[in-house]
Amino acid sequence: MDTYILYSAIVLSVFMAIPLYRSVVGPTVQDRIMGVSAIGSKTTVLLIMIGFIFERVDMFIDIALAYALLNFIAVLAASRYFHKRKGLYQEMDR
């Protein structure tokens, strides 16, 4: 069972490269914010998988929930910042 979870975690880590590429190269701010959000959600699942591997799920669930909450707040704050300050719609008109 640990081997299955380990390989699943490795595959999930490889799949995290796609939103990483989008968040680094993304042509618009929305693409970058969505890429960061996707990386955060995959990291939450990865933390729970690490908890299963180390047989400390109770501890890693707390860490994953705190990380998910911080990721959610960061994405909301960045979205609001770019919406109000940077003129997100001006970028879309280009």
Side-chain angles (χ1 to χ4, degrees):
M1 184 69 178
D2 286 341
T3 306
Y4 176 73
I5 293 173
L6 179 65
Y7 286 129
S8 298
I10 291 171
V11 169
L12 184 64
S13 298
V14 170
F15 284 153
M16 287 172 70
I18 298 167
L20 179 66
Y21 173 77
R22 183 55 58 193
S23 64
V24 171
V25 177
T28 63
V29 174
Q30 291 100 346
D31 291 335
R32 291 185 175 140
I33 290 174
M34 288 178 63
V36 168
S37 178
I39 289 172
S41 63
K42 290 181 187 351
T43 303
T44 303
V45 174
L46 191 63
L47 281 171
I48 293 173
M49 287 179 164
I50 291 171
F52 275 114
I53 291 171
F54 288 112
E55 297 178 358
R56 295 290 314 261
V57 179
D58 53 342
M59 183 177 79
F60 278 92
I61 281 183
D62 292 339
I63 295 170
L65 285 175
Y67 183 81
L69 182 65
L70 287 175
N71 183 44
F72 178 70
I73 291 170
V75 167
L76 279 181
S79 299
R80 180 142 177 104
Y81 173 76
F82 285 113
H83 180 73
K84 294 287 184 184
R85 303 283 174 150
K86 289 287 187 176
L88 191 60
Y89 295 109
Q90 294 172 354
E91 182 177 315
M92 293 173 63
D93 292 338
R94 289 186 207 169

